[in-house]
Amino acid sequence: MSAKILVVDNSAACQLTIKNMLSDYNILTASNDFEAMHQINTNIDIDLIILDLNMLKMNGDFEFLNTLKSDKRYKNIHTIILSNYVDYENDIKTLELKSVDYIQKPVNIEYLKSRINIHLQSLRVQKLYEEMILSSDMTLDTILNQVPVGIAISHSNEPFDYGSNNLSIINPVFEQITGRLKEELQQSGWNNITHPEDLDKDIENFNKLQSGKINSYSLEKRFIKPDGSIVWVDMIVAQLNLKNDFTYNYISIVQDITERKTMEKILNESERSKSVLLANIPGMAYRCNLDRYWTMQFVSQGTYDLTGYESYNLVNNKDLSFNDLIVPEYRKVLWERWKDIISKKLPFKYEYEIITATGQRKWVLEMGQGIYDENGNAEALEGIIIDISDRKTHEIENKHLSEHDTLTGLYNRKYFEELLAHDNKTKSYNKRAIINVNLSKIDLLTISYGFHYSQELIKKIAEVLSSYCTANCQLFSTHTNRFTFYLKEYHDKDELIIFSNTIVDILKSILIVEGIGVGLGILEIDNNEFDVDQILKNVLIASENALNKPNRYYNYTFFDKDMELKILRKMKIKNLLEQIANGDDSNIYMQFQPIVDIKLNCIYSFEALARIKSDESDIISPVEFIPIAEETKLIFPVGKRIIYHSLSFLNKLKAKGYDFVNISINVSAIQLLKDDFNSYLLEILDNMGIEPGNLTIEITESMFSDQYFEINNKIGELKDSGIKIAIDDFGTGYSSFSRIRELKVNSLKIDKSFINKLKYLKPEQSITSDIISMAHKLGHHVVAEGVEYEVQKQYLLEHGCDMIQGYLTSIPLDEEAAIDLLDKKNCNDK
């Protein structure tokens, strides 16, 4: 029959827990001392009482234990008291009241069972021993030899006898645990084999037992074996109530717990390491319930630094729950995220804000995971919460800087592009428009008055424009000296016009004294248009058109189909240029216009003119494609193809015996200033077997206005190699003749605008003759461009012009036609 145990606890939940833990025994329960006494009196065969010390504290006294002590009917009932560490003084008091044993909470089930087993063995042996004394039955020896615990029974007539001759019964397990036979134990005595550090406590308790202050005591102690090794035992010593010739009768039951103590040492060290780690961890480690309050079972010491509350304030929601600390807007999302993580059994990571005890808001990062039972159900959460306020502050500051213009404080282009892309995708609004405010002319003020002056003006304008913002009208700083209004859910185009006129008027009042204008570009967004970059390009084009309208300084322009066609045209040309740059010459061809010696009336040179064709009827001239090539930097590879084709034509002329004829090639400033241009040009001449003297490089006069010295040095190197240099469109850009002498050139090509005037000006009114005369005095040849009439030719001939070029002599020709013309005006013999 299983032992009968009475569990006394005022908590029904604790009663049930212990009852389930000890299901192998016959368990009775009681909620208070009154119920407990009733159970004891009703069930006289109760072997053991398990008693919660908190219940005794609630009653305010130990009357229940006093009753057990004083009534002889209960002398054989053993008691185990469950207590918290903080109740240590009360535990001692219970021992004085002859309680048998106590166990510190939290209770380990295996350890509790082990202690119960020792007590039950003690009771059983005591009962059998008493029966043996009365009946001389040998059953006791059989039991002693089979039980898995060590048992020793001693008798003595002298109090406080620790000697060797008082041990009458020792079972084999006791001998095995101590490493000594019965005779050796009788000779040495138990006090001589007890570890010195445990001896005083053992003797103190034994003295109390002999004096009658206690009926029994329990102790974890160490025995020293003969080989010097240590064995840990769980020992219970109790009085035996025997009718024999000895005054003192005792039973000692020991169980080897060496392995457990070793594990405890390892675990304690692990717990110590964890405690050190948790005490120094920068944040709050926790274990909590999975409920809406995040009821804390445990929180580390870092809780105070993080929240301003002590650990005990939060555990079991004593003063407040952790949920109370979470900023309200995060509570629902935090719960939903945890539920999702738990369902997927994934690690948790989330950033949110809490409010500390002082009312301060802190950003925290929580990292945790669910703790699951054997059925896969989450029974708790464990993790750590750390303060990331500093990092978050930096992130917010960096985010602000990345999304705002530092000068005006307005949202910048990056933020606007993201917003525009989002609205394009979601189609949140039926009508949307962009108004680009182009203030690029402010750069002129920077040149005149300095950087800070223009910056202050931009700030002032930003403040004024911001006053027109509403929920559906936002302002952004999208580029240097440019702002963009983003309007949503406006009524119609007229509303955009009224708004634009208002902005133009207010800016005019500010800028008119500065002498600069402003242009507004307006673009209504098609909800099927998703290319944000193209949208912003289009509205910029519209604002540039408005800004550059003749005689209108304050203007707005809607982006329309004509502008769109221009953009498409530009894209088409760009694609053709890319094909040429990649070696596809199917869309490029060369024409050559003769340059004629005006006196000899024979061809001196040809100017190479590149053309691009997109189809049979669409011929694209250099005037159109060269600026696009320069803007896209395709001028470098395309320019090399043009040079190659031009020099190939020159070699064809050379093969036909026209080695005296030269070729002129137009080169842009971008090409010329490229570091390797000169070396490339000389290398290709050498590879193609062409004399440098047969090549003329034409550069426009306006090129010298920005980088005079750099360009002059570059053309000087080319001129020194034998290549001729000509200034094209002379008279349209560079007006200072004082510096013409310094230019390292061979000839000047007078711009067509001067030649056109020869048709209607009297000879004495034209300055073309003065240009020719001055050029000659500087040692330069002169070529007149755009000669279309005989009267122009005669004027030029009379005033000593060297060469002419224009429709009067020939239009630009294909290769074969150019060669045919050369055959007709062959000057080889002159």
Side-chain angles (χ1 to χ4, degrees):
M1 186 176 179
S2 61
K4 188 174 289 188
I5 300 175
L6 174 62
V7 177
V8 184
D9 197 302
N10 57 358
S11 169
C14 291
Q15 289 180 16
L16 181 60
T17 299
I18 296 176
K19 187 173 183 179
N20 291 334
M21 291 166 61
L22 303 177
S23 57
D24 294 338
Y25 302 99
N26 183 5
I27 303 297
L28 304 175
T29 60
S31 299
N32 51 51
D33 52 358
F34 178 79
E35 291 181 8
M37 290 307 303
H38 177 73
Q39 288 281 26
I40 293 170
N41 293 326
T42 304
N43 301 275
I44 59 174
D45 55 346
I46 289 177
D47 298 298
L48 184 66
I49 298 173
I50 298 177
L51 176 64
D52 182 27
L53 186 61
N54 287 333
M55 190 198 76
L56 298 179
K57 289 175 65 179
M58 290 179 66
N59 292 339
D61 57 41
F62 295 91
E63 187 60 34
F64 176 67
L65 291 177
N66 284 324
T67 300
L68 293 180
K69 169 189 175 184
S70 60
D71 197 322
K72 293 183 178 180
R73 292 177 298 170
Y74 314 132
K75 63 181 181 179
N76 289 328
I77 299 178
H78 287 213
T79 304
I80 296 178
I81 292 181
L82 306 181
S83 64
N84 293 316
Y85 182 78
V86 294
D87 297 318
Y88 181 78
E89 292 182 1
N90 288 332
D91 293 343
I92 297 301
K93 187 174 182 181
T94 62
L95 288 174
E96 297 292 338
L97 290 170
K98 300 190 178 181
S99 153
V100 173
D101 200 0
Y102 76 98
I103 296 177
Q104 181 180 321
K105 290 183 178 180
V107 178
N108 178 281
I109 181 59
E110 297 302 324
Y111 182 54
L112 176 61
K113 286 182 177 181
S114 172
R115 298 294 281 267
I116 290 173
N117 183 53
I118 292 177
H119 283 287
L120 295 178
Q121 291 287 359
S122 172
L123 288 169
R124 187 180 180 192
V125 171
Q126 180 176 341
K127 184 177 180 181
L128 288 173
Y129 190 71
E130 291 172 351
E131 292 175 354
M132 182 194 76
I133 296 297
L134 295 173
S135 62
S136 300
D137 195 335
M138 294 306 294
T139 304
L140 179 62
D141 287 337
T142 304
I143 295 297
L144 292 177
N145 290 330
Q146 293 179 359
V147 292
V149 294
I151 298 175
I153 297 175
S154 64
H155 312 286
S156 175
N157 286 318
E158 297 297 329
F160 316 122
D161 184 2
Y162 318 126
S164 59
N165 60 358
N166 57 358
L167 293 172
S168 61
I169 297 177
I170 296 174
N171 75 342
V173 175
F174 198 98
E175 292 178 334
Q176 179 184 348
I177 290 174
T178 59
R180 293 172 173 84
L181 297 176
K182 178 181 178 179
E183 292 75 16
E184 293 176 288
L185 290 169
Q186 288 177 329
Q187 183 178 357
S188 62
W190 59 266
N191 55 319
N192 291 318
I193 65 172
T194 298
H195 193 283
E197 293 178 6
D198 303 327
L199 185 59
D200 289 344
K201 186 67 175 177
D202 200 358
I203 292 176
E204 178 186 350
N205 286 326
F206 189 73
N207 289 343
K208 290 179 181 180
L209 183 67
Q210 284 194 326
S211 65
K213 291 183 179 180
I214 58 176
N215 294 327
S216 64
Y217 70 90
S218 63
L219 181 69
E220 290 183 356
K221 60 178 283 186
R222 288 163 287 183
F223 284 131
I224 302 175
K225 288 187 173 184
D227 61 3
S229 62
I230 301 296
V231 58
W232 274 96
V233 296
D234 192 351
M235 181 180 74
I236 293 178
V237 180
Q239 291 181 353
L240 283 175
N241 299 313
L242 303 177
K243 296 178 180 180
N244 57 16
D245 297 332
F246 296 98
T247 306
Y248 304 103
N249 301 284
Y250 307 103
I251 182 171
S252 174
I253 300 178
V254 297
Q255 185 174 27
D256 190 340
I257 58 169
T258 304
E259 184 177 349
R260 176 170 66 80
K261 294 297 286 187
T262 301
M263 291 302 299
E264 283 181 1
K265 182 178 181 182
I266 295 172
L267 289 173
N268 288 336
E269 180 61 29
S270 175
E271 289 300 318
R272 186 195 67 79
S273 299
K274 289 179 182 178
S275 297
V276 172
L277 176 63
L278 292 175
N280 291 278
I281 204 165
M284 181 183 93
Y286 70 87
R287 180 185 176 99
C288 73
N289 297 339
L290 180 58
D291 59 34
R292 294 302 289 262
Y293 299 101
W294 312 110
T295 302
M296 292 295 167
Q297 301 175 15
F298 162 82
V299 288
S300 65
Q301 296 176 13
T303 301
Y304 182 79
D305 290 336
L306 182 69
T307 69
Y309 294 100
E310 298 289 353
S311 301
Y312 61 78
N313 295 131
L314 294 175
V315 172
N316 294 320
N317 304 330
K318 181 178 182 295
D319 296 311
L320 74 167
S321 70
F322 187 77
N323 192 62
D324 295 328
L325 304 184
I326 300 170
V327 173
E329 57 259 39
Y330 296 101
R331 291 173 184 172
K332 182 177 180 181
V333 66
L334 191 63
W335 173 253
E336 295 297 330
R337 287 182 70 90
W338 259 115
K339 282 173 59 179
D340 182 59
I341 286 295
I342 289 297
S343 67
K344 298 174 182 176
K345 291 184 170 57
L346 296 173
F348 178 83
K349 187 175 183 180
Y350 190 65
E351 296 176 0
Y352 56 93
E353 289 181 279
I354 63 171
I355 300 175
T356 68
T358 61
Q360 177 189 3
R361 288 173 73 119
K362 281 186 178 180
W363 274 98
V364 297
L365 168 63
E366 180 176 354
M367 296 177 289
Q369 62 184 14
I371 305 301
Y372 305 92
D373 60 21
E374 61 274 10
N375 297 320
N377 299 316
E379 57 183 12
L381 308 176
E382 288 185 352
I384 183 171
I385 302 172
I386 59 176
D387 185 353
I388 58 168
S389 298
D390 289 342
R391 173 172 70 78
K392 206 67 179 178
T393 298
H394 290 310
E395 285 182 5
I396 293 171
E397 290 174 352
N398 291 336
K399 187 173 188 293
H400 181 86
L401 289 174
S402 72
E403 294 179 346
H404 289 78
D405 173 53
T406 54
L407 177 64
T408 64
L410 296 172
Y411 280 114
N412 59 18
R413 181 186 178 101
K414 173 181 176 293
Y415 182 86
F416 181 47
E417 286 181 351
E418 292 173 354
L419 176 61
L420 203 56
H422 173 268
D423 290 349
N424 287 349
K425 183 177 181 181
T426 59
K427 298 184 178 180
S428 306
Y429 305 96
N430 294 321
K431 296 180 75 65
R432 295 181 295 145
I434 298 174
I435 299 178
N436 184 267
V437 182
N438 193 327
L439 294 160
S440 58
K441 297 295 185 182
I442 285 181
D443 287 338
L444 298 174
L445 300 179
T446 303
I447 296 172
S448 301
Y449 303 113
F451 174 76
H452 293 292
Y453 182 87
S454 60
Q455 293 291 282
E456 289 301 317
L457 181 59
I458 285 291
K459 287 172 64 176
K460 178 181 178 181
I461 291 172
E463 291 176 5
V464 171
L465 295 180
S466 295
S467 65
Y468 292 90
C469 292
T470 64
N472 284 328
C473 179
Q474 296 172 267
L475 181 66
F476 302 85
S477 177
T478 50
H479 197 273
T480 303
N481 301 339
R482 292 186 182 94
F483 299 98
T484 300
F485 281 104
Y486 182 33
L487 294 92
K488 294 164 282 190
E489 303 297 13
Y490 59 94
H491 294 297
D492 52 27
K493 189 173 182 178
D494 288 341
E495 184 179 341
L496 296 177
I497 292 173
I498 293 171
F499 181 79
S500 297
N501 278 322
T502 301
I503 299 302
V504 166
D505 289 343
I506 193 67
L507 291 177
K508 182 178 179 180
S509 68
I510 298 172
L511 299 175
I512 194 168
V513 296
E514 306 290 352
I516 60 172
V518 62
L520 271 61
I522 309 169
L523 172 67
E524 293 188 272
I525 300 174
D526 184 346
N527 276 335
N528 294 318
E529 175 60 69
F530 296 102
D531 190 339
V532 171
D533 193 49
Q534 191 61 51
I535 290 173
L536 296 179
K537 282 182 180 178
N538 291 350
V539 76
L540 177 60
I541 289 170
S543 70
E544 291 285 348
N545 284 353
L547 185 65
N548 295 312
K549 281 191 175 181
N551 303 318
R552 298 185 69 177
Y553 293 102
Y554 309 99
N555 192 31
Y556 64 82
T557 299
F558 278 86
F559 181 81
D560 57 24
K561 290 297 181 183
D562 289 339
M563 291 182 192
E564 186 175 9
L565 290 174
K566 290 179 182 178
I567 293 171
L568 293 174
R569 172 76 171 176
K570 183 176 180 181
M571 291 176 61
K572 179 180 180 180
I573 294 173
K574 179 175 176 290
N575 290 335
L576 291 171
L577 290 171
E578 287 175 344
Q579 293 175 24
I580 296 168
N582 291 325
D584 181 0
D585 291 338
S586 60
N587 293 311
I588 188 172
Y589 69 96
M590 303 298 299
Q591 288 190 321
F592 304 92
Q593 188 172 34
I595 299 173
V596 177
D597 187 316
I598 193 171
K599 295 177 182 177
L600 300 176
N601 196 32
C602 63
I603 297 174
Y604 167 78
S605 180
F606 284 97
E607 181 178 355
L609 302 170
R611 304 286 188 264
I612 294 177
K613 57 183 178 182
S614 60
D615 52 51
E616 292 299 327
S617 60
D618 186 15
I619 305 300
I620 305 170
S621 73
V623 175
E624 190 175 8
F625 74 75
I626 289 296
I628 298 173
E630 291 180 336
E631 178 186 342
T632 59
K633 300 299 185 289
L634 292 170
I635 189 67
F636 301 119
V638 171
K640 288 183 178 181
R641 299 307 300 164
I642 292 172
I643 291 172
Y644 172 77
H645 288 300
S646 301
L647 297 180
S648 295
F649 173 70
L650 190 61
N651 268 341
K652 289 181 181 179
L653 296 182
K654 181 180 177 182
K656 288 183 173 290
Y658 299 117
D659 51 2
F660 61 90
V661 178
N662 297 330
I663 193 79
S664 292
I665 303 175
N666 291 280
V667 173
S668 70
I670 296 177
Q671 288 175 277
L672 186 63
L673 291 173
K674 198 169 190 299
D675 290 341
D676 63 349
F677 177 77
N678 285 5
S679 59
Y680 156 76
L681 190 60
L682 294 173
E683 183 180 355
I684 193 172
L685 289 174
D686 184 59
N687 291 340
M688 298 184 73
I690 295 174
E691 291 295 327
N694 288 119
L695 174 63
T696 299
I697 293 297
E698 294 189 13
I699 56 176
T700 59
E701 182 185 5
S702 60
M703 286 171 55
F704 288 95
S705 61
D706 295 327
Q707 295 171 293
Y708 173 85
F709 292 106
E710 292 89 340
I711 291 176
N712 205 29
N713 288 335
K714 294 281 279 189
I715 62 176
E717 293 175 4
L718 295 177
K719 185 181 178 185
D720 291 342
S721 72
I723 295 173
K724 300 181 181 67
I725 308 296
I727 296 181
D728 197 13
D729 302 328
F730 183 78
T732 60
Y734 201 88
S735 58
S736 176
F737 273 93
S738 64
R739 303 196 76 172
I740 293 295
R741 185 185 302 275
E742 302 173 11
L743 295 179
K744 300 174 182 179
V745 300
N746 302 94
S747 60
L748 306 179
K749 297 185 74 173
I750 301 175
D751 186 70
K752 184 177 184 295
S753 61
F754 291 94
I755 306 305
N756 285 341
K757 294 176 183 178
L758 297 178
K759 291 187 296 181
Y760 53 84
L761 288 177
K762 293 180 181 181
E764 62 271 16
Q765 294 176 322
S766 173
I767 65 169
T768 304
S769 60
D770 298 318
I771 296 175
I772 295 170
S773 175
M774 188 169 294
H776 285 161
K777 288 179 181 179
L778 294 175
H780 304 320
H781 289 88
V782 179
V783 180
E785 293 184 296
V787 180
E788 299 178 357
Y789 300 96
E790 187 66 30
V791 64
Q792 297 168 327
K793 177 181 176 182
Q794 289 304 316
Y795 176 92
L796 295 168
L797 182 61
E798 291 173 6
H799 290 87
C801 183
D802 300 299
M803 298 170 198
I804 60 173
Q805 178 182 352
Y807 281 10
L808 180 63
T809 56
S810 175
I811 63 172
L813 303 169
D814 295 337
E815 284 190 7
E816 291 184 5
I819 292 173
D820 289 341
L821 181 63
L822 187 61
D823 289 339
K824 294 175 183 178
K825 293 193 175 185
N826 189 344
C827 294
N828 191 33
D829 56 342
K830 296 185 181 180

